[in-house]
Amino acid sequence: MTNIPINDLKRILESGGEPLLRAAQETLASGWWLNGKKTEAFCAEFAAYVGAGQCIGVANGSDALEIAFRALVEVRKPRGREVVTVPNAGGYSAIACHLTGLVPVYADIEEASQLASLDSILSCVGPDTAFVVTTHLYGGAVDVPELRRRLDDAGHRDVAILEDCAQAHGARVGGRRVGSLGDIATFSFYPTKNLGAFGDAGAIVSADAELTAAANSLRQYGWSSKYTIGQPFGRNSRLDEVQAAILSVLLPKLDEANARRVAVLERYEAAAPAGVTLVRASTDTVAHLAVVLSDERDALRRHLTEKGVGTDIHYPVLDLDQPGWRDLPYREAPGGVPVARASVPRLLTLPCFPGMREDEISHVCEALGSWQS
């Protein structure tokens, strides 16, 4: 057996495509392709699933971040312009900072989970902080309630928390799903996500009526009413009806699909040899990615490639080291980001998706277990 892919999206249709094709065909036949009942229905369903007050569909997860950033600034009117985030999550929160004129401040991470260190976040927060972004990376969930408690105890009740949930649809902390834990949250429905569309799509969710109203205006030109712009920096960012219809079909299957992902992760965890450690959050995970840490990452990758196992690296460059951002403002935590820096050359992603066959999972386990450092 060779060439086990990191993901194979064709299998979504192969394993149950009739309802998806029917939903898409019915939507196309309706002649209503934007701002219609399919988007309205999915947003209501997803808000109920997350446990948030309202969901606003947008074109993609990056737009969701930028619009949510602007909504927080517009509504909360923070004194500062700094956004505390992490440097190891693909650059998406940093992009939103740069587009909105905010300054990223990079907190360090915890090695075992690769999630933000709450201690490091607290060390970054000060008079110039606008808000904090908690990225639920690789399917793991940041303990947002504990962060909120610690921020409040430190006198930072005015500092909002934005959850970046692009890699953690359905994960929970203390029985509550991510997206319902902070002031506002963003989701991507990129096809490979735990809940993925058949193209680009995203959402913003919040229980704060002012924030959702601001986000809803900003995602459609900043309108206060049709053709009347009530706030600056609006844009055109819509979740289209076909993608909304597809997401409505997939949403009821999300928890089952997440369970299959976690089962794959646990198989790898049991098979991993000495010197190879599975990344896993101490709170909860929905196993968006199966990521391992190894001091001999490149040799391990060559070994797996020879065994026919596809691999990737999420992510090979820290945000603060991106060459295109060299001249843009940023700040590191007072203690720097040593754990994030030490992790980059050790990260390796293995195949992990709900449609993996049993023989494929076993083959990856055998290939992983046969590695000798």
Side-chain angles (χ1 to χ4, degrees):
M1 179 183 300
T2 59
N3 301 323
I4 298 173
I6 285 286
N7 206 329
D8 186 356
L9 296 174
K10 297 190 302 296
R11 299 186 194 186
I12 298 172
L13 280 177
E14 292 169 357
S15 65
E18 185 178 342
L20 293 163
L21 294 173
R22 185 168 59 249
Q25 186 173 15
E26 289 174 355
T27 305
L28 290 170
S30 74
W32 197 300
W33 302 335
L34 287 170
N35 295 335
K37 293 182 179 179
K38 297 295 186 182
T39 298
E40 181 181 346
F42 170 71
C43 286
E45 292 158 4
F46 192 66
Y49 175 83
V50 170
Q54 188 175 348
C55 169
I56 299 164
V58 295
N60 55 67
S62 296
D63 281 4
L65 280 167
E66 181 185 346
I67 292 166
F69 277 30
R70 293 193 187 281
L72 277 170
V73 171
E74 172 71 21
V75 172
R76 298 295 176 86
K77 300 187 182 341
R79 292 169 296 172
R81 303 294 293 176
E82 292 187 343
V83 175
V84 181
T85 184
V86 287
N88 66 322
Y92 305 111
S93 61
I95 289 171
C97 283
H98 297 316
L99 289 173
T100 55
L102 300 168
V103 177
V105 178
Y106 298 114
D108 204 8
I109 61 173
E110 297 177 346
E111 180 179 359
S113 67
Q114 294 290 296
L115 299 174
S117 159
L118 300 193
D119 287 340
S120 187
I121 288 176
L122 267 292
S123 76
C124 295
V125 174
D128 294 326
T129 303
F131 52 89
V132 172
V133 175
T134 55
T135 299
H136 303 298
L137 191 66
Y138 303 152
V142 177
D143 192 341
V144 176
E146 176 62 12
L147 175 60
R148 178 75 273 163
R149 184 192 67 78
R150 293 186 61 180
L151 285 168
D152 291 351
D153 288 349
H156 301 304
R157 293 180 181 274
D158 59 329
V159 174
I161 298 175
L162 183 153
E163 296 179 76
D164 178 358
C165 308
Q167 297 189 10
H169 313 66
R172 297 175 185 264
V173 178
R176 297 166 57 195
R177 285 195 173 97
V178 299
S180 69
L181 306 172
D183 296 85
I184 192 168
T186 61
F187 288 84
S188 167
F189 303 120
Y190 184 78
T192 60
K193 302 299 185 184
N194 292 55
L195 179 62
F198 282 18
D200 275 321
I204 299 165
V205 299
S206 179
D208 186 304
E210 287 187 273
L211 288 175
T212 53
N216 195 41
S217 173
L218 286 164
R219 62 106 189 171
Q220 186 151 290
Y221 311 115
W223 282 356
S224 55
S225 60
K226 192 172 183 179
Y227 302 133
T228 300
I229 294 173
Q231 57 181 322
F233 307 115
R235 62 186 307 155
N236 173 8
S237 183
R238 304 184 184 109
L239 171 61
D240 76 63
E241 289 283 280
V242 172
Q243 301 302 342
I246 287 169
L247 289 166
S248 283
V249 173
L250 294 173
L251 179 58
K253 305 174 183 178
L254 175 57
D255 289 343
E256 179 185 353
N258 284 343
R260 289 200 294 269
R261 288 176 179 270
V262 173
V264 173
L265 190 73
E266 290 176 343
R267 291 278 298 278
Y268 294 168
E269 197 167 30
V276 178
T277 305
L278 265 290
V279 171
R280 188 158 184 174
S282 61
T283 48
D284 186 28
T285 186
V286 289
H288 171 62
L289 294 172
V291 176
V292 300
L293 289 165
S294 171
D295 289 340
E296 298 180 76
R297 187 267 308 280
D298 294 340
L300 173 60
R301 190 177 195 186
R302 288 193 296 271
H303 168 78
L304 293 173
T305 299
E306 290 168 1
K307 296 289 186 178
V309 177
T311 61
D312 205 341
I313 299 172
H314 295 85
Y315 295 94
V317 182
L318 292 181
D319 295 1
L320 66 171
D321 294 332
Q322 290 290 356
W325 297 340
R326 187 176 294 112
D327 298 326
L328 298 179
Y330 76 92
R331 185 165 68 82
E332 292 185 42
V337 291
V339 178
R341 287 200 176 282
S343 297
V344 167
R346 303 176 64 224
L347 295 166
L348 188 65
T349 303
L350 310 180
C352 182
F353 56 99
M356 284 189 77
R357 301 190 305 267
E358 173 60 31
D359 61 321
E360 291 176 320
I361 300 168
S362 295
H363 184 83
V364 176
C365 288
E366 291 168 6
L368 186 62
S370 66
W371 161 250
Q372 295 180 349
S373 59

